[in-house]
Amino acid sequence: MASQRLIDRVPTPSPEAKKVKVLFLGMSRTAIKEAMKKPEYKSYHMSEVFWNFRRGHFAYWHEALRAKYQGQGKWYGPTEFEKLLANFDAISDIPCIMFIDELLQTYPDAKVILTNRDIDSWLFSMERSFYTILGWRTWPLLAIFDRPMFHHYYPMLRIVMNQWTHGDFFSRPSLRQGFEDHYAHVRAVVPPERLLEFDIRKDGWKELCGFLGDEIPTRENDDGKREEEPFPNINDGASVVGLHAKLYWWRAGTIAVKMAGGVGAAGVAAGAIWWARRFTR
């Protein structure tokens, strides 16, 4: 008898639970997560995996990625994704975008937005984010000790990058091809009437809200008049690396304190944070 998967222990959501209505299937580093807060969508992004790490979200997504891309266990389908994404009405970014066909099957009425950017600027952003983060030399060691988070996150990132590069992890030409293949696949499987091609270089509220049927967000200006909200774009490569570094230092310090058993905990934590910072530069 097959062993029970981690996701099988998660209760089935109630019929009243919010369901996903919008799938942002553009590659990571093209998402418009902050913009979705204005029309008041609750969006599942990689940041939600971090927020929910104590609830096992890293472990569930790692399980899903291993099943699909490494042949380890049963693939996730509608039942599993409805558990993971209950009460969210939009998704974007990894790990979700690694499951295009499964999410289209799970949410057949969802609208699909394919966020686009110039491929050369995307590759530069990947250099400043994914490749920089994965280049930190102490990842394997922290992954051993930090079971709830980095034990899963580090191999998850490697699975994603191996898939995007067709197994040639450090090949930038392969990564370029992976980008093109991803977009070609979305265009091939999503009917045109359900798909919005959104160019983050020039499109804004008009295109996004028009497709979703939402009102364009406005704010009051200094003259007391209503004006269109600026379209947000704060998820730059440098900020992503900075956030990861802070999480890395925090987890290194937490693990060090636990291992020290409370004896000299402050000194051990400080030493662990120094060590982590030294090797995340």
Side-chain angles (χ1 to χ4, degrees), residues 33-34 37 42-58 61 88 148-149 243 247 250:
K33 172 178 174 275
E34 291 301 313
K37 294 178 180 179
K42 186 179 181 183
S43 181
Y44 195 101
H45 181 271
M46 187 67 227
S47 58
E48 289 294 334
V49 187
F50 280 101
W51 280 113
N52 289 283
F53 84 97
R54 296 190 192 280
R55 297 176 57 206
H57 279 226
F58 271 110
W61 285 110
F88 289 88
M149 185 182 290
L243 176 59
L247 287 167
W250 167 55

Side-chain angles (χ1 to χ4, degrees), residues 110-159:
K111 294 184 176 182
V112 178
I113 298 175
L114 193 57
T115 44
N116 286 279
R117 69 183 293 180
D118 172 71
I119 190 168
D120 290 317
S121 71
W122 179 78
L123 288 168
F124 178 71
S125 180
M126 289 293 289
E127 290 283 356
R128 297 183 66 202
S129 55
F130 278 65
Y131 279 114
T132 297
I133 292 163
L134 283 168
W136 295 340
R137 288 173 285 171
T138 47
W139 267 116
L141 186 59
L142 187 57
I144 293 172
F145 295 106
D146 186 12
R147 304 292 296 186
M149 185 182 290
F150 288 124
H151 173 74
H152 299 290
Y153 187 44
Y154 177 60
M156 282 170 60
L157 287 180
R158 293 193 65 88
I159 291 171

